[in-house]
Amino acid sequence: MKRVSLETPTSRRPTPTTAAPLTRGGRSTAPAALTGLPDRHGRIATDLRVSLTDHCNLRCTYCMPAEGLEWLPGETLLSDAEVGRLLSIAVTRLGVTDIRFTGGEPLLRKGLADIVAHASTLRSPEGRRPGLSLTTNGLGLDRRLPDLIAAGLDRVNVSVDSLNPERFAAITRRDRLADVLRSLDAVAAAGLRPVKVNAVPIARWYRDDAPALLRHCLERGFELRFIEQMPIGPPEEWDRSTVVTAQMLRDALTDGGFTLADGAQPRGSAPAELTAVSADGLPDGHVGLIASVTEPFCGSCTRTRLTADGSIRSCLFAARETDLRELLRSGADDEAVARRWQEAMWGKPRRHGFDHEGFAAPGRTMSRIGG
Ligand code: SAM
Ligand code: SF4
C-alpha cells in the first residue's frame, strides 16, 4: 500500500501575530502552566475520539434523519495532514494515550489508512505508542481491514442493534445486516481482540434483540456493549420515558435465560460497566452496559473529542466547542495549538445534565461530533 506522509514541518511555523478568540462563546480561565489535558474538576483526558467525517451510509433513526444532514462544507474539513498534526500534538505534548477513529462513518474517509499509519508512528515522551481503534458500522470493513491492520489499527468496535434483518433495516433505514455481520466475522478472523459490538437497544424490540445479540456474541467470543439512547440525534427521536435503561436490559437478559453476576467489575474510566454473564450451552463472558442516561459516569470521563471540522469538544454534550482549524491555518506553532486544546478541556462541564431542568441538547448531533 502506498502511503502519503502526513508529517508537516511545524517547528518553523510562525506564531500568529493576532490573537484568535479563545473559545466560541466563552473565555478561558485555565492556569498558565498545565501538563496534559486536565479540567477544573480534577479529571485528565487521555482518550481522544477523532471524527473523520460527518457522512454516513446508514441512517440510524436515533442518530440521523432519514434524509441525512446538511454535510459540513468540504473546505471546513481538516485535511489528512491537519488531522495528522493534531494527533501528533495530542500524543507528544498532551498526554493522549488512546485514539479512537469515528464519525459519521470513518470508513468513508479516504485517507483513513494513511491517518492510522501516521498515528502508529507517534510516541509519547516516554516512548509509548498510542492505542488505535475504530468505531464503525462495518459496511465495507471486511475489504478495508487488511490495509487498516497493516497501518497499525489495534481494535475495532462494530455497531449492530439487531440480528433480525427487518428490524436492522428499520433501525438503520438500509437493508445491510448481512454485510455488517460479514465484517464482524472478518475482524474476528483477523485476530483483532477484543472484538467489541455496540448496540443501542430499541424500546419495541429489545426484549427479543438483546438476548439474541448476547447469544451471538458469547458464541463468538465478542464483547457486547449496550448503550442507552442519548438525546443527541433528531430531537423527535428521544424521549426520556422510552429510553431502554441498563436495568431494563438486565431484566430482559435474565428473562432471556442469562445469569448476570451480582455487581459489575470496577469500570475505571471505561464507559461500559462490565458484568459477568452465563447461560446454558454458551461460553461464559461479559456484557457491557453504558448507562449514560440513568447511571452517568461523568466523574470518571477521560475523553476529549476532535470534530471532522477541527473543533475540540470537551464533552459530547458541551454547550460550546473550541475551534483549532483556524489556528492551524493561521500558522500557529504546536505550542499555541496545544495551549488552546488545554484551555478547551479546562472548561469541561462537571456533568452532562440530561436530567437537569433546562438541559439543552448540543447544536451538533452524534454523527457530527463523533460517537
Ligand atoms: N458510524 C459509526 C458507528 O455507527 O459505529 C461510528 C459513529 S456512531 C455516531 C458511534 C456510536 O454512537 C455507534 O455505536 C452508535 O450506535 C452510537 N450512537 C449514535 N447515536 C446515538 C444516540 N443517540 N445514543 C446513544 N448512542 C448513539
Ligand atoms: Fe451512521 Fe453510525 Fe450514526 Fe448509524 S450511528 S447513522 S452508522 S454515524
Side-chain angles (χ1 to χ4, degrees), residues 67-264:
E67 65 280 12
L69 293 162
E70 200 174 308
W71 308 124
L72 295 167
E75 69 280 6
T76 68
L77 297 179
L78 295 181
S79 66
D80 291 355
E82 287 169 332
V83 172
R85 184 173 167 211
L86 289 176
L87 297 183
S88 305
I89 291 172
V91 173
T92 61
R93 292 176 176 256
L94 293 174
V96 164
T97 57
D98 289 280
I99 300 172
R100 174 170 295 280
F101 299 102
T102 179
E105 177 44 49
L107 292 174
L108 297 181
R109 175 89 182 210
K110 251 195 172 146
L112 174 63
D114 289 329
I115 292 172
V116 172
H118 168 71
S120 76
T121 65
L122 299 174
R123 296 293 178 270
S124 71
E126 300 77 34
R128 272 203 315 270
R129 171 191 179 282
L132 302 177
S133 52
L134 180 73
T135 297
T136 170
N137 63 27
L139 294 183
L141 177 62
D142 50 337
R143 290 188 303 279
R144 306 277 298 279
L145 205 52
D147 261 5
L148 292 171
I149 293 175
L153 189 70
D154 298 314
R155 277 178 304 280
V156 181
N157 284 25
V158 177
S159 304
V160 194
D161 302 328
S162 175
L163 294 173
N164 173 304
E166 286 80 39
R167 291 179 195 162
F168 180 92
I171 296 165
T172 63
R173 302 188 177 101
R174 302 288 187 272
D175 185 10
R176 304 292 302 272
L177 177 64
D179 305 81
V180 177
L181 295 182
R182 197 174 52 244
S183 286
L184 202 44
D185 289 339
V187 176
L192 296 189
R193 295 284 187 275
V195 180
K196 292 190 183 173
V197 174
N198 290 354
V200 175
I202 305 295
R204 274 174 292 171
W205 298 315
Y206 78 97
R207 290 193 58 83
D208 280 343
D209 283 345
L213 275 165
L214 185 53
R215 212 166 296 125
H216 185 92
C217 289
L218 288 178
E219 279 166 353
R220 290 162 181 77
F222 302 164
E223 195 181 287
L224 174 63
R225 301 129 44 90
F226 291 104
I227 311 173
E228 286 180 351
Q229 186 181 335
M230 297 179 280
I232 198 153
E236 65 284 5
E237 294 290 336
W238 195 83
D239 178 345
R240 174 69 178 78
S241 65
T242 63
V243 171
V244 177
T245 65
Q247 189 51 49
M248 290 160 72
L249 284 161
R250 290 184 193 106
D251 294 344
L253 294 174
T254 305
D255 294 348
F258 291 92
T259 303
L260 275 70
D262 283 340

Side-chain angles (χ1 to χ4, degrees), residues 54-64 102-106 135-137 159 161 171-172 200 366-368:
D54 58 326
H55 287 244
C56 192
N57 38 15
L58 295 183
R59 293 285 182 275
C60 304
T61 49
Y62 48 76
C63 181
M64 270 202 204
T102 179
E105 177 44 49
T135 297
T136 170
N137 63 27
S159 304
D161 302 328
I171 296 165
T172 63
V200 175
M366 188 70 140
S367 61
R368 281 189 158 178

Side-chain angles (χ1 to χ4, degrees), residues 39 43 47 49 225-228 230 246 267-273 288-303 305 315-317 348-355:
D39 68 49
R43 298 163 296 192
D47 177 2
R49 305 279 164 114
R225 301 129 44 90
F226 291 104
I227 311 173
E228 286 180 351
M230 297 179 280
R267 180 169 45 210
S269 62
E273 187 183 81
L289 297 170
I290 304 184
S292 330
V293 178
T294 59
E295 300 160 24
F297 39 86
C298 304
S300 57
C301 177
T302 53
R303 269 161 283 289
R305 293 172 193 275
C315 168
L316 262 182
F317 293 92
K348 179 170 172 129
R350 184 188 291 278
R351 57 200 306 271
H352 57 55
F354 298 161
D355 37 3

